[in-house]
Amino acid sequence: MEKPKKSFFYYCILAFIIVIALNTFVFPRFAANKVQEVSYDQFLNDMSSQSIEKVEVQDHQIAYTLQDDEMIYTTIPMDDPNLIERLYASGASFAKLPTQQDSLLTTLLVSYGVPILFFVLIYKFFIKKMIANQSGNMMSFGKSNAKIYAKDQTGKTFADVAGQDEAKESLREIVDFLHDPGKYAAIGATLPKGALLVGPPGTGKTLLAQAVAGEASVPFFSISGSEFVEMFVGMGAAKVRDLFKQATEKAPCIVFIDEIDTIGKKRDGAGSLGGNDEREQTLNQLLAEMDGFDGAKGVVILAATNRPETLDKALLRPGRFDRRIPVELPDLAGREAILKVHIKKIKCLESVDLKEIAKATAGASGAELANIINEAALRAVRMGRNVVIQADLEESVEVILAGQQRKSMVISPREKEIVAYHEVGHALVAALQKDSAPVHKITIIPRTSGALGYTMQVDEQEKFLLSKEEAFNKIVTLTAGRAAEELMFHSITTGASNDIEQATRLARAMVTRYGMSESFGMVALENVTNQYLGGDASLACSLETATRIDQEVISLVGQAHDKALEILRENMQRLNSISRWLLEKETMTGEEFMSLLKQQPQPLPPAQE
Ligand code: ADP
Ligand code: MG
Ligand code: ZN
């Protein structure tokens, strides 16, 4: 492997020595035969003084040498009739003189040879090295430079992955196979060559892959899909080839391709501009390699993606990534388990209640939970403590949800009042409706995310289904902030923009996806793509229907707003007194809120009903 590299290096040095030798020993010789241009009358003088030794007469140049002189003189010929006779008479001998050829040779060498040599050297040293770096086996000496991340031990085990029990169950079989491929071969069973981990970002897909390698104690080859996408066509494919070659040599082992959607996107045939060709070649090579290698050897390919719907169908057919392992956002128990794993790394009080934190973080991913623990530790240090307490964790949840506190932000008393009424509006309406999550905290301390205040609601139990009434009540709660502002100040502000967005989105989903509107019934009017990355909805209906959907959404949100206004109107006294309290204290816990609510007189029962 090393040989070509060395000999190439020697060639370079040799070429260098030759150039230097030519310069010092050969060129000076020619240089001694210097050529000097003289005037025609000088030439005539030299001729008449009979000192010319050799002469060469050409159409465009006369060259001559003098006796006892190394120098070659040249001059431009004139219309001089019997010049030859006169030269002959002067005793000069006619000969070929090396003026032209020599200067030509020198010129060639200097002005062409050197630059060419220069470029050849640059090419050899840099470009080839670059290609070799990227492609591995394109040049035999690039292999060691291939940027494939091979680790003998990842140091992670399933114990590091909390929750995700189903995913771990599926992967445990792979671990077992890697431990003892022979057992499976003996019975004639073949294990899937590849498994695809799909799920939202931060749910532990990369972590799980590392844990599989750690559990099986086999080498772990890891590469990210984006690393295959190279500047030059063909290099990604070469990298894939190299990756599989190295993996087969080290079998049993795990090859992990992270973010496989970067290369595994659907091929759309009509190659558009840019890197598509390259990507397709890389994908084709990957498919070919997956078909080509012998699964029984013990190479298992894991891949991860959060955009499974964009993957090329060819990747998912049997014999390739035919096992699909969902890695979803953790549920309540899962969140608590993840918090437990990460809290081990920091010092904290025995008494901290992780369940409370888990409850308050519905929808958070494992990565976010890990971040919450770390933020809490940072806050403890900032506060000059050496252990983490519950308050650190609680504040940290809010930091992750809404950003850091901005106590320095100056807000006018009038605006503070508006914010207080707005938030208490949300809280009151939430508390006074059935089927809505209890209020956990209300605050009017501004946050770096731009929120001037917020109301946190935390479900006692995890909810997996949302009834039509609950969905509608949610919209009512969302519109209640604005409703409180209207009732109290008879004006409206921009503060409700986020509420409006959420309310509209939910109302729209009720109509187009959940089949909760009477006029449309159970018809899917929107398709959701990209479910793991926020979910983009695209209309799947005619323009007329789209117009009707809009009307339906508007009326739904309108009804909700009316209901919020109604509830608040009946509870003006409560709204007033609780808002005053919040204005003074700036934050209010759920318990404080509930006790204030109970102290207040019940509103008069509505006239009808
Ligand atoms: P993904 O690849 O799915 O985007 P990662 O595997 O990179 O997510 O997870 C990022 C980090 O989040 C991990 O390093 C780990 O600290 C934390 N994490 C995520 N899920 C879990 C889990 N189930 N258990 C423990 N830690 C987790
Ligand atoms: Mg990842
Ligand atoms: Zn609001």
Side-chain angles (χ1 to χ4, degrees):
M1 287 297 138
E2 283 295 295
K3 213 172 178 190
K5 193 173 189 172
K6 271 191 185 152
S7 62
F8 169 70
F9 194 62
Y10 288 143
Y11 282 135
C12 286
I13 292 191
L14 198 67
F16 211 72
I17 291 175
I18 289 174
V19 169
I20 290 179
L22 277 174
N23 253 331
T24 38
F25 301 116
V26 184
F27 290 159
R29 279 261 186 98
F30 292 125
N33 247 329
K34 270 198 204 125
V35 178
Q36 191 192 346
E37 199 169 317
V38 294
S39 64
Y40 197 71
D41 57 278
Q42 172 75 48
F43 165 63
L44 290 183
N45 276 347
D46 287 338
M47 182 165 63
S48 47
S49 65
Q50 303 208 326
S51 50
I52 292 185
E53 190 187 28
K54 289 177 186 165
V55 67
E56 183 187 15
V57 180
Q58 288 174 322
D59 283 348
H60 57 278
Q61 174 182 279
I62 298 169
Y64 65 99
T65 59
L66 298 178
Q67 285 144 12
D68 318 318
D69 194 344
E70 290 274 270
M71 192 77 87
I72 296 174
Y73 299 93
T74 61
T75 188
I76 308 294
M78 298 279 158
D79 186 20
D80 196 341
N82 39 36
L83 177 69
I84 305 295
E85 282 94 277
R86 279 188 287 142
L87 270 173
Y88 186 61
S90 78
S93 61
F94 293 91
K96 192 158 176 56
L97 291 177
T99 58
Q100 281 276 297
Q101 286 87 340
D102 268 1
S103 57
L104 191 68
L105 185 68
T106 320
T107 319
L108 276 179
L109 264 173
V110 172
S111 56
Y112 292 96
V114 171
I116 287 177
L117 198 73
F118 185 70
F119 281 117
V120 167
L121 285 185
I122 284 200
Y123 171 76
K124 296 231 154 175
F125 268 124
F126 293 99
I127 309 274
K128 282 206 175 174
K129 207 163 195 177
M130 216 158 87
I131 291 173
N133 266 347
Q134 302 190 334
S135 72
N137 52 0
M138 203 149 146
M139 305 284 294
S140 45
F141 60 85
K143 190 173 168 187
S144 53
N145 291 329
K147 274 194 300 184
I148 287 162
Y149 178 52
K151 252 192 185 175
D152 276 343
Q153 282 305 317
T154 58
K156 295 271 195 294
T157 64
F158 281 150
D160 293 306
V161 190
Q164 307 297 2
D165 293 332
E166 297 79 12
K168 280 196 265 186
E169 202 47 53
S170 280
L171 291 168
R172 201 159 271 136
E173 198 178 14
I174 292 178
V175 172
D176 190 44
F177 169 69
L178 288 171
H179 266 312
D180 187 4
K183 187 168 83 185
Y184 287 79
I187 202 170
T190 48
L191 222 76
K193 284 182 186 171
L196 184 65
L197 300 161
V198 297
T203 46
K205 298 182 293 296
T206 308
L207 188 63
L208 270 168
Q210 289 171 342
V212 171
E215 287 279 324
S217 36
V218 295
F220 185 67
F221 290 87
S222 138
I223 190 162
S224 170
S226 58
E227 282 173 54
F228 285 118
V229 182
E230 294 288 358
M231 190 167 29
F232 303 116
V233 172
M235 275 175 190
K239 230 177 189 174
V240 172
R241 222 175 299 135
D242 196 52
L243 172 65
F244 277 86
K245 194 162 147 252
Q246 290 188 45
T248 330
E249 280 164 15
K250 283 229 177 177
C253 67
I254 288 191
V255 174
F256 177 54
I257 306 175
D258 211 348
E259 318 288 344
I260 196 173
D261 43 287
T262 27
I263 50 166
K265 277 207 207 86
K266 283 192 186 88
R267 292 163 292 184
D268 45 11
S272 56
L273 291 176
N276 247 11
D277 257 5
E278 157 67 359
R279 224 194 53 223
E280 263 174 39
Q281 271 197 26
T282 311
L283 176 56
N284 287 336
Q285 186 67 40
L286 180 64
L287 296 177
E289 293 288 345
M290 285 194 79
D291 286 344
F293 81 85
D294 180 7
K297 279 227 186 83
V299 180
V300 172
I301 303 163
L302 297 178
T305 179
N306 37 40
R307 317 185 52 188
E309 72 283 347
T310 66
L311 288 186
D312 199 292
K313 289 281 170 291
L315 266 177
L316 304 175
R317 72 131 231 248
R320 289 168 184 158
F321 292 109
D322 41 3
R323 190 168 281 197
R324 186 176 164 131
I325 302 177
V327 187
E328 298 287 349
L329 287 173
D331 56 10
L332 183 60
R335 288 198 298 277
E336 196 181 343
I338 294 173
L339 288 169
K340 258 190 199 131
V341 164
H342 287 277
I343 204 131
K344 277 191 203 128
K345 297 172 194 155
I346 63 170
K347 274 198 199 135
C348 73
L349 285 187
E350 283 288 311
S351 61
V352 295
D353 187 355
L354 292 178
K355 185 145 194 173
E356 279 304 309
I357 305 300
K359 272 187 199 165
T361 46
S365 69
E368 280 164 330
L369 294 170
N371 200 7
I372 283 173
I373 299 282
N374 193 47
E375 278 290 334
L378 292 177
R379 186 182 126 105
V381 174
R382 257 202 313 275
M383 299 293 192
R385 261 183 271 107
N386 55 8
V387 285
V388 168
I389 61 169
Q390 186 77 8
D392 293 325
L393 289 165
E394 269 165 14
E395 173 58 24
S396 164
V397 170
E398 288 177 55
V399 168
I400 302 296
L401 293 182
Q404 295 279 0
Q405 290 188 352
R406 269 173 77 185
K407 285 207 167 120
S408 60
M409 190 169 163
V410 183
I411 299 177
S412 71
R414 159 114 184 143
E415 280 187 338
K416 249 202 144 76
E417 221 181 327
I418 295 178
V419 175
Y421 272 88
H422 178 111
E423 296 308 332
V424 174
H426 283 308
L428 258 183
V429 168
L432 295 174
Q433 286 186 112
K434 275 186 287 159
D435 305 325
S436 66
V439 173
H440 183 74
K441 183 174 180 177
I442 316 171
T443 167
I444 53 170
I445 297 172
R447 297 273 165 173
T448 46
S449 67
L452 295 175
Y454 58 84
T455 305
M456 240 169 107
Q457 284 174 266
V458 174
D459 271 310
E460 266 311 303
Q461 273 179 340
E462 197 115 27
K463 278 248 175 70
F464 301 100
L465 286 175
L466 190 66
S467 72
K468 185 176 168 183
E469 286 67 38
E470 286 164 343
F472 183 70
N473 285 353
K474 250 189 174 167
I475 302 178
V476 176
T477 304
L478 283 166
T479 54
R482 162 68 63 86
E485 289 179 41
E486 283 172 86
L487 287 176
M488 190 59 208
F489 303 98
H490 306 290
S491 75
I492 54 179
T493 67
T494 53
S497 62
N498 187 266
D499 300 333
I500 292 173
E501 204 181 305
Q502 286 188 43
T504 313
R505 201 180 313 133
L506 181 53
R508 205 177 173 81
M510 281 173 75
V511 176
T512 62
R513 280 161 43 207
Y514 304 152
M516 289 179 178
S517 90
E518 260 137 48
S519 48
F520 291 110
M522 285 177 57
V523 177
L525 301 166
E526 260 178 4
N527 293 325
V528 177
T529 51
N530 240 343
Q531 55 161 328
Y532 291 130
L533 297 172
D536 312 321
S538 60
L539 274 181
C541 60
S542 71
L543 280 179
E544 272 161 47
T545 314
T547 316
R548 282 175 55 210
I549 292 173
D550 290 339
Q551 285 162 357
E552 192 90 352
V553 170
I554 292 168
S555 104
L556 201 56
V557 176
Q559 284 168 31
H561 187 195
D562 289 345
K563 185 171 175 199
L565 281 171
E566 191 188 320
I567 295 176
L568 288 176
R569 233 182 246 124
E570 286 164 8
N571 291 278
M572 266 324 259
Q573 223 179 331
R574 284 169 157 170
L575 177 63
N576 271 318
S577 62
I578 300 176
S579 300
R580 295 283 143 210
W581 199 96
L582 179 64
L583 208 48
E584 205 178 301
K585 301 272 167 60
E586 294 201 329
T587 38
M588 180 187 284
T589 64
E591 291 90 54
E592 285 166 340
F593 173 74
M594 284 320 286
S595 73
L596 280 173
L597 192 64
K598 290 203 183 98
Q599 280 168 28
Q600 294 298 316
Q602 289 286 328
L604 294 173
Q608 323 98 309
E609 213 174 47

